[in-house]
Amino acid sequence: MSFVADQVRRLDGQLDRLQLSGFTSAPSLPILRSSSEVLDDASNEAPKLSTSPQILQLQAIVKSLSTASSSQPILRAAKIQSLLEQADLAVSTVEVGAQNQVDASYKRELEWLLVSKATAQTYGVILNVLLEQTIPLTNDIWYWDEVLGSYRYTGLYSIQTSPLRFWQLSKDIYQDAKSRLESMTSSTEANTQTNTSLADRWRQFYGLVKDSIRDRSLADVQRQVMSPFALCRAEARQKQNSLRKFREMGASGLGVLMDEGLNFDIDEEGGIATKGHDDDHHEWKTVVAKSVALMETVLRNVTTLEVGVAEFEDTVFASVEDDAEIVEQPADDGLSTKPALLSARLQHILQTHIPSHITASQRLAKDYGRPSRFVRYWLPATVIFLSSSTLLRILVNRKAEILTWIEELGTTTVDFWSNWVVEPAKKVIGTIRHDKDSEVAIMSKDSLKGDKASLERMVVDFAIDNPDNTSGGPLTETEIADVRAKVKEGDLTPVLKAYERDLRKPFMGTIRGELVRALLIQVQKTKVDVEVAMGGIDALLKSQELVFGFVGLTPGVLVCVAISRWLSGFLGGRKGIKQSKKQGQMVRILRNVDRILTTSTPANNGMLSYKDHGLLLCEIHMLRQSAQRVLPGEVNREFLEDVDDLVDIRTGIERQLKVVGRIRWAYEKWLR
């Protein structure tokens, strides 16, 4: 929300307080009551007031001009003008056939309230217009700073504007040659004109063109001493100075209206401060009349760049003081005609001065601002246009390859999504749900059990076939069970004893087959030991199965996140970057505010000048808009309180600088 809306809402409340205080001493109907309430209570009032359609219509228009809407407190200029035309105060001010003196007084006060509320709305419209025309000038001034700050940008600007300069030079030469030809033709006799052929006349015109070019070259001999870069820099500097002066004039007009316009100086009791009760009833009407003249004078002179800021301010105040319609008219008839005059003047402001100011401001911004986009980008557009046939030919010749690239890109994208994102995600989900198909294993589930049982049978059979290695006789069931238990623990003593015995006579052991049998049993034992080790590794893998699943999913997810962020950034959806840009903009605005307060020249009363106050208001307007997008709701309300303290120039520059410091440390979290 803009500070203009707050100002208009505050003025509307002050007008209501002034009007209510003016009616406390006289019996009358409340002005802002509805027509139905007026009809119901008119019979109970003493003295009775007329409930004519004219009064009811004025009451409805006053309601329409009040700032009842919090979202849109300022009406459009066309709406304000329509309401003033609907009121038709030029007719309503004629008090013919009034019921009594109370009716006339009530009607006159109602007209003043209508005009004052229309003045407040017009005041808001003009402030918004000045803001809209002044704030964008900063960007154009920065553009000229870039042009003047580098020879590269100066050369680029000279190339961009070279067609315009050539066209202007051609027009000047043509106009000069044409004027010479007309003067020469008018001095020639009529018969000579008739006998002159077209070729001779064209040759004569061509000679005049050459003479015009030669004369212009001699006239511009001083400019030829300067380089083209120097000429462009001089032109850029001149436009930048004009823009700065235009911005200072707009800021001065804004400061004048904010400081002097509709300044009722209301005290806490709702009356004019330092005035008596008899005077403050008419004092606010004089303030309204002066404010109307002030708005009209500012709009009429703010685009006049031939004068300085001080002369502009003096002209505005002198014009307001000499305004004939502001002179006090003590007679009641004179006061009754003022609302009609002010209404007509407001309509003239809304219908003529505001559109004229907008047109003049746009013309100045066009003349002194940055060149149009057509001028800035005609060179790359021309290059693209001239090379378009070559680009089109390349695209047509490589159509099949381009289609193949697109198809392969699509296939690669689909395969990557399926194999590196979807499948790993399914495996992770299966691991979380203990799916048997998703278990990580490097060996079959029952292979170790089968190998252990086979080893056990082989050792038991060997021990039964060779009882000499154990007890020397046939083995009993107890001894067989003992051998089986030792095999489960990894003890192969019967086999190893036979193996050691056969190693003494390996040939005989090989013939009998016991040595080979013992070797094969040891091979089986080695296999079981390997499987036991592999089982331990398998158990370790199963304990970290979820980790391996996420490791397999991570590359695909990282690639997808990187691509999505790049696409969002490329398409302009970088919310975080935009947020940082908004925060950086707030910091730069606070820097500008601090610079305005530091470099300002205080007036005699120690407050900011009108120009500096206007520049401060422009920065505050942008600061409030940026804060609304960055700060949370509750913090933004506290921020607006600090901004109101910053805008209040009555506190002095020193306290305003302290407010800037408070804003910096209080909202540092959102400014980083």
Side-chain angles (χ1 to χ4, degrees):
M1 185 182 297
S2 171
F3 72 90
V4 178
D6 295 340
Q7 180 74 2
V8 173
R9 192 179 292 107
R10 184 162 45 248
L11 291 174
D12 188 77
Q14 291 179 358
L15 290 173
D16 291 338
R17 291 168 59 188
L18 284 171
Q19 193 66 31
L20 290 175
S21 65
F23 272 84
T24 54
S25 61
S28 60
L29 288 175
I31 290 179
L32 298 180
R33 296 176 66 180
S34 63
S35 58
S36 60
E37 293 174 341
V38 172
L39 292 174
D40 292 340
D41 298 340
S43 59
N44 299 326
E45 297 289 339
K48 294 183 179 180
L49 294 175
S50 174
T51 57
S52 63
Q54 189 177 13
I55 291 181
L56 298 179
Q57 183 182 16
L58 291 177
Q59 290 176 341
I61 295 175
V62 169
K63 279 188 175 183
S64 301
L65 290 171
S66 300
T67 58
S69 175
S70 59
S71 60
Q72 190 177 3
I74 303 176
L75 301 177
R76 293 180 292 106
K79 179 66 175 178
I80 302 172
Q81 183 179 354
S82 175
L83 291 174
L84 289 175
E85 292 176 353
Q86 184 180 353
D88 195 13
L89 296 185
V91 178
S92 64
T93 52
V94 181
E95 302 294 341
V96 178
Q99 196 174 21
N100 48 46
Q101 187 63 27
V102 177
D103 285 343
S105 176
Y106 174 71
K107 184 178 178 183
R108 185 166 55 250
E109 295 298 326
L110 189 61
E111 291 171 353
W112 269 108
L113 181 60
L114 187 149
V115 170
S116 61
K117 285 185 175 289
T119 302
Q121 291 288 334
T122 306
Y123 176 76
V125 171
I126 293 175
L127 290 180
N128 279 333
V129 168
L130 290 176
L131 283 174
E132 292 173 358
Q133 301 299 327
T134 305
I135 290 176
L137 298 178
T138 304
N139 296 329
D140 293 340
I141 293 175
W142 288 348
Y143 172 80
W144 295 121
D145 282 337
E146 291 181 353
V147 172
L148 294 172
S150 172
Y151 281 103
R152 180 165 60 92
Y153 286 115
T154 304
L156 179 61
Y157 171 73
S158 63
I159 295 174
Q160 291 172 343
T161 56
S162 57
L164 292 178
R165 292 197 300 272
F166 178 75
W167 173 252
Q168 186 64 36
L169 179 62
S170 302
K171 285 176 60 178
D172 294 342
I173 293 174
Y174 173 77
Q175 294 295 335
D176 186 29
K178 184 178 178 181
S179 61
R180 292 187 181 188
L181 180 62
E182 290 176 353
S183 61
M184 184 179 297
T185 304
S186 60
S187 62
T188 308
E189 295 180 356
N191 55 0
T192 306
Q193 296 176 5
T194 306
N195 296 330
T196 304
S197 63
L198 180 61
D200 295 337
R201 298 174 67 179
W202 175 253
R203 190 179 301 108
Q204 186 180 16
F205 179 75
Y206 180 71
L208 292 175
V209 169
K210 291 198 300 183
D211 295 339
S212 178
I213 294 175
R214 184 175 59 255
D215 295 343
R216 183 170 295 274
S217 300
L218 294 175
D220 296 341
V221 65
Q222 294 181 350
R223 297 186 61 187
Q224 290 179 1
V225 177
M226 302 175 63
S227 64
F229 278 9
L231 294 176
C232 290
R233 290 176 65 86
E235 180 183 356
R237 190 175 293 106
Q238 186 268 334
K239 290 185 176 182
Q240 185 186 45
N241 293 333
S242 300
L243 278 180
R244 284 178 175 170
K245 188 173 183 180
F246 183 29
R247 186 182 65 169
E248 291 177 355
M249 294 285 286
S252 178
L254 188 63
V256 168
L257 289 178
M258 281 294 297
D259 294 346
E260 306 297 336
L262 294 177
N263 187 8
F264 297 112
D265 196 12
I266 301 294
D267 57 16
E268 295 181 356
E269 297 180 356
I272 305 295
T274 69
K275 296 289 182 179
H277 182 74
D278 297 334
D279 296 333
D280 61 2
H281 185 58
H282 298 294
E283 182 70 19
W284 69 273
K285 299 176 183 179
T286 304
V287 172
V288 172
K290 287 185 177 181
S291 299
V292 173
L294 182 66
M295 291 186 292
E296 183 179 4
T297 307
V298 168
L299 288 178
R300 192 170 55 245
N301 296 279
V302 74
T303 55
T304 305
L305 302 185
E306 289 78 11
V307 298
V309 174
E311 297 178 3
F312 162 73
E313 295 173 357
D314 295 340
T315 301
V316 168
F317 291 123
S319 177
V320 171
E321 292 298 331
D322 296 339
D323 196 291
E325 295 183 8
I326 302 178
V327 179
E328 286 288 345
Q329 300 182 18
D332 292 341
D333 294 339
L335 287 175
S336 65
T337 58
K338 269 196 174 183
L341 297 176
L342 293 179
S343 176
R345 200 163 183 177
L346 286 175
Q347 295 181 50
H348 185 64
I349 291 174
L350 294 169
Q351 188 175 5
T352 303
H353 288 295
I354 292 180
S356 300
H357 169 74
I358 295 175
T359 303
S361 299
Q362 291 176 349
R363 184 181 67 253
L364 291 175
K366 181 180 179 181
D367 293 340
Y368 302 121
R370 71 176 69 185
S372 63
R373 292 184 178 179
F374 178 78
V375 175
R376 298 199 306 268
Y377 300 113
W378 70 267
L379 184 58
T382 303
V383 173
I384 294 174
F385 176 76
L386 295 177
S387 60
S388 59
S389 59
T390 304
L391 296 176
L392 183 60
R393 190 181 306 111
I394 293 174
L395 293 176
V396 171
N397 294 335
R398 295 179 175 267
K399 180 180 179 181
E401 297 180 5
I402 294 174
L403 293 177
T404 303
W405 293 343
I406 296 174
E407 183 178 355
E408 291 180 353
L409 177 62
T411 304
T412 303
T413 303
V414 173
D415 292 342
F416 172 80
W417 177 260
S418 176
N419 298 329
W420 288 93
V421 179
V422 177
E423 291 299 330
K426 288 182 178 179
K427 291 180 180 179
V428 170
I429 295 174
T431 302
I432 295 173
R433 300 177 62 181
H434 292 284
D435 190 359
K436 295 181 180 181
D437 296 334
S438 65
E439 292 183 355
V440 178
I442 59 177
M443 58 180 293
S444 58
K445 193 171 185 180
D446 298 329
S447 61
L448 180 58
K449 183 186 293 185
D451 289 338
K452 281 185 175 183
S454 176
L455 178 62
E456 182 181 344
R457 289 192 299 270
M458 292 170 64
V459 174
V460 171
D461 292 342
F462 185 84
I464 293 173
D465 294 339
N466 298 280
D468 297 337
N469 298 324
T470 54
S471 61
L475 299 178
T476 62
E477 292 296 331
T478 304
E479 292 175 342
I480 293 173
D482 184 49
V483 171
R484 185 177 287 109
K486 289 182 178 180
V487 171
K488 290 181 179 179
E489 296 176 359
D491 187 3
L492 301 181
T493 300
V495 177
L496 294 177
K497 285 182 178 181
Y499 179 70
E500 293 172 359
R501 186 186 65 235
D502 290 337
L503 282 179
R504 297 188 191 126
K505 297 178 181 181
F507 183 73
M508 294 299 295
T510 303
I511 294 175
R512 289 196 308 265
E514 298 299 333
L515 181 60
V516 176
R517 189 178 179 185
L519 286 173
L520 292 176
I521 291 174
Q522 292 187 59
V523 170
Q524 181 66 17
K525 176 64 170 60
T526 304
K527 180 181 178 183
V528 171
D529 292 340
V530 171
E531 288 185 353
V532 170
M534 295 297 291
I537 298 174
D538 196 20
L540 180 63
L541 291 176
K542 288 182 179 179
S543 65
Q544 302 296 324
E545 188 174 0
L546 188 60
V547 175
F548 288 114
F550 278 110
V551 169
L553 180 62
T554 300
V557 173
L558 291 178
V559 172
C560 291
V561 170
I563 293 176
S564 62
R565 294 193 63 179
W566 180 81
L567 289 176
S568 62
F570 180 76
L571 297 176
R574 296 174 294 178
K575 185 177 180 180
I577 297 179
K578 288 184 177 181
Q579 187 77 3
S580 63
K581 287 183 178 179
K582 295 174 184 176
Q583 295 170 353
Q585 184 180 7
M586 290 184 63
V587 173
R588 291 194 299 272
I589 294 174
L590 285 175
R591 175 259 178 194
N592 294 336
V593 170
D594 189 278
R595 186 172 182 271
I596 291 172
L597 295 175
T598 305
T599 60
S600 62
T601 302
N604 296 330
N605 52 7
M607 298 188 302
L608 289 175
S609 63
Y610 295 122
K611 181 194 71 174
D612 294 330
H613 188 201
L615 294 175
L616 177 64
L617 291 174
C618 292
E619 299 295 337
I620 294 299
H621 178 75
M622 294 188 294
L623 183 62
R624 292 180 58 145
Q625 290 182 342
S626 300
Q628 190 174 5
R629 297 189 295 266
V630 174
L631 301 180
E634 297 181 357
V635 179
N636 188 35
R637 286 192 290 270
E638 298 174 356
F639 181 79
L640 293 180
E641 294 178 358
D642 293 331
V643 169
D644 291 338
D645 295 339
L646 180 59
V647 175
D648 190 4
I649 63 173
R650 295 174 298 179
T651 59
I653 297 177
E654 293 183 0
R655 294 189 63 179
Q656 286 178 297
L657 287 172
K658 292 181 180 179
V659 173
V660 174
R662 182 171 75 237
I663 290 175
R664 284 176 175 168
W665 65 257
Y667 307 98
E668 182 182 4
K669 174 182 176 182
W670 294 275
L671 297 177
R672 290 180 298 180

